Amino acid sequence: MRSTEEPVPVAGSPAEAAAAGDTSKSAGFCTGTGAARPGPLQQLHRIALVDVNSFYVSCERAFDPALAGIPVVVLSNNDGCVVARSDEAKALGIKTGEPWFKLADAAPHLGLVQRSSNYELYGDLSSRVMELLGRYALWQEVYSIDESFLGLAGTAEELDTQGADIRAAVARHTGLPVCVGIGTTKTLAKFANRIAKQNKHLGGVCSLDTMDPEVVETIMSRVPVTGLWGVGAKLGKRLGALGIRSVADLKAADPALIRSRFSVTLQRTVLELNGTSCLPLEEERADRQQLIFSRSFSVPVTTAAEMRQVMSIYAQQAAARLEREGQQARVLTAYAGTSHFSQKAASFPSVTVRLQSPTSDPVVLTRAAVGALEDSILEGVPYTKAGVMLSGLSDAGAQPVFDEFVSAHEHRHIGELLGKVADKYGAASIGLGLAGLSSTKPDWTMSRKFFSPRYTTDWDELPVVRAR
């Protein structure tokens, strides 16, 4: 969660930085190696972290300028609780996770505007941003839907210019505001990004190479260790018991001691704070082990027939994702559950199926998902959530499979065909069996009462410009 404290100015002398506020505040984030500033012509290889500011809210504002400057929140599935807030909403004291029903009555008086989660819009704008960022990088790692690490090269001044160019290009081509942090490691780049985000005078770009090292060290001494990427409240308490309370304290700690008392992960953080890169590119780690499609229902599912439709749709969505990413799954788990607050009988069936061979075939996965819960769903019981989890993932073609174990559907590339049609005409345009064409949506599908148009992914919802 992003801090709402006052930002810590980073320009000026160490004394000015130290006088910027109480040392307990966690808003200002800045790190550095403490080394001398590089020469003006020295060629540097650095890591940039580019982050879209208030991503969900910014996506809504990109197509609805009337939302600019007013408090906006984006809600979770079925409009349950707040998952994203604009700066104006944060200033009102609204917290992430706050239930919407508690805010609904006061919203008109607060001038608060709500939007349902528009995953189609957010996903499309994210892919556009990431593709655009890749044009500026030696390498790229997409870290999350709104964040990407980039490899940059140039002199310190050129890196500053590159950061400004990236920010301007994203704003021009997508309408989304981003901040750019540049450092020698991922951890330092993450810190620099926070500095850029919380100090408006930096213009959205912070490169640690052009900052005064003494100012960097002073601010590090004021930032609590829980302000670090990956250091939570519980870990912060354990560190505090050893006298490690600030980022500067952790940077000065013995890496070997940190590893013996905590973990190799925290040891890497210490090394990264001192300028030693320890976190490899995500694609090099290849540590993704599972894929999950899970949703809460707006209306409970009470029959086995409805649950078969749910499993069919989720399995085909999972198969499409596998196909796009060139992966196959060996194990499928189908599960469902009732509300913990339900007055009726509780039921939490979960069945795991080991597939005959690794596959991304939507026919095989659909049959497995539907069949898994066939005998476990109780008629009349109100199920409020269900999901399909694929595990044992591997790259398609990574291991040879005997022909007799390959389904006919894979030979015909059914999964690839479904994915192409869905990408071109929408997710509801095609499906197998119970997930096929339908004139009306099932009652259990996600409720989004405050849903904005899918401006970039649906022909019927394209923005319209009228000239007078």
Side-chain angles (χ1 to χ4, degrees):
M1 187 183 302
R2 290 183 171 89
S3 171
T4 58
E5 300 284 353
E6 289 297 317
V8 179
V10 298
S13 67
E16 290 172 335
D22 184 74
T23 57
S24 64
K25 293 185 178 180
S26 60
F29 293 85
C30 185
T31 62
T33 62
R37 192 179 300 181
L41 300 180
Q42 182 179 347
Q43 288 291 312
L44 309 171
H45 283 81
R46 294 293 184 259
I47 297 174
L49 188 279
V50 184
D51 179 16
V52 183
N53 303 338
S54 303
F55 179 62
Y56 286 2
V57 172
S58 294
C59 289
E60 297 288 347
R61 284 174 167 173
F63 291 93
D64 188 355
L67 298 178
I70 64 175
V72 180
V73 294
V74 176
L75 306 177
S76 63
N77 294 345
N78 300 314
D79 300 329
C81 60
V82 174
V83 294
R85 309 161 294 158
S86 67
D87 289 340
E88 296 81 4
K90 295 175 185 178
L92 292 175
I94 297 172
K95 306 297 183 183
T96 297
E98 194 162 354
W100 173 245
F101 75 86
K102 292 185 176 182
L103 298 171
D105 291 340
H109 305 289
L110 297 173
L112 179 65
V113 176
Q114 74 282 6
R115 288 287 185 268
S116 300
S117 295
N118 190 338
Y119 299 117
E120 297 88 339
L121 178 64
Y122 308 154
D124 183 65
L125 288 181
S126 173
S127 65
R128 296 184 186 209
V129 170
M130 299 309 164
E131 189 278 331
L132 181 60
L133 294 179
R135 303 178 191 178
Y136 290 83
L138 301 175
W139 53 261
Q140 178 181 22
E141 177 194 320
V142 177
Y143 179 66
S144 68
I145 191 173
D146 63 341
E147 293 179 279
S148 183
F149 288 105
L150 307 177
L152 302 180
T155 65
E157 289 72 17
E158 288 171 343
L159 292 173
D160 268 335
T161 300
Q162 289 179 51
D165 290 344
I166 289 171
R167 189 168 187 268
V170 175
R172 182 170 64 253
H173 293 290
T174 69
L176 301 178
V178 302
C179 283
V180 183
I182 303 172
T184 55
T185 68
K186 286 184 175 181
T187 301
L188 297 179
K190 193 86 169 177
F191 265 110
N193 182 277
R194 294 293 183 111
I195 283 288
K197 196 178 297 291
Q198 297 172 1
N199 290 270
K200 303 299 183 183
H201 67 278
L202 294 178
V205 179
C206 176
S207 176
L208 299 181
D209 288 306
T210 55
M211 294 179 62
D212 187 331
E214 293 185 17
V215 174
V216 171
E217 293 295 332
T218 301
I219 297 178
M220 284 180 64
S221 67
R222 299 178 51 246
V223 179
V225 71
T226 51
L228 271 174
W229 179 32
V231 179
K234 291 184 178 180
L235 182 55
K237 288 183 179 179
R238 293 178 60 197
L239 288 168
L242 296 178
I244 301 175
R245 296 181 176 84
S246 70
V247 173
D249 293 335
L250 185 60
K251 179 186 173 185
D254 180 3
L257 174 65
I258 294 298
R259 178 168 182 166
S260 64
R261 294 288 188 93
F262 298 93
S263 66
V264 66
T265 300
L266 192 60
Q267 180 193 37
R268 289 171 181 162
T269 298
V270 175
L271 294 173
E272 290 242 327
L273 285 173
N274 286 278
T276 300
S277 183
C278 301
L279 301 178
L281 294 182
E282 195 71 24
E283 57 264 30
E284 293 176 357
R285 300 215 305 256
D287 55 0
R288 183 176 181 182
Q289 298 297 317
Q290 61 187 23
L291 177 66
I292 300 175
F293 271 82
S294 177
R295 293 287 186 274
S296 298
F297 306 137
S298 58
V299 177
V301 168
T302 59
T303 68
E306 287 180 309
M307 189 59 73
R308 285 194 292 271
Q309 184 182 39
V310 172
M311 290 292 107
S312 181
I313 291 174
Y314 287 0
Q316 290 175 51
Q317 290 176 336
R321 176 71 65 81
L322 287 177
E323 187 70 35
R324 284 196 300 270
E325 298 183 359
Q327 291 188 304
Q328 296 176 321
R330 187 61 187 261
V331 179
L332 179 146
T333 300
Y335 58 91
T338 56
S339 170
H340 292 280
F341 305 102
S342 175
Q343 300 300 315
K344 298 187 178 182
S347 179
F348 303 94
S350 176
V351 178
T352 297
V353 178
R354 186 171 181 82
L355 304 171
Q356 192 174 38
S357 62
T359 184
S360 61
D361 182 0
V363 178
V364 173
L365 295 176
T366 298
R367 286 174 177 170
V370 171
L373 294 183
E374 188 71 33
D375 299 324
S376 303
I377 298 301
L378 304 176
E379 294 286 339
V381 171
Y383 293 95
T384 58
K385 186 174 183 179
V388 170
M389 181 175 72
L390 301 178
S391 54
L393 302 187
S394 61
D395 293 336
Q399 50 188 315
V401 181
F402 293 113
D403 289 340
E404 55 265 32
F405 293 114
V406 178
S407 72
H409 316 105
E410 287 186 289
H411 280 308
R412 297 172 184 172
H413 304 289
I414 298 297
E416 182 181 358
L417 174 62
L418 292 176
K420 289 181 178 179
V421 174
D423 288 343
K424 187 172 183 179
Y425 298 106
S429 61
I430 193 170
L432 300 173
L434 294 172
L437 299 173
S438 176
S439 58
T440 58
K441 291 184 177 181
D443 292 336
W444 51 265
T445 52
M446 187 167 53
S447 174
R448 294 187 280 187
K449 296 179 181 178
F450 315 110
F451 191 56
S452 56
R454 293 162 290 190
Y455 297 102
T456 62
T457 60
D458 192 303
W459 285 108
D460 297 327
E461 298 178 15
L462 291 176
V464 177
V465 177
R466 294 182 174 86
R468 293 185 177 180

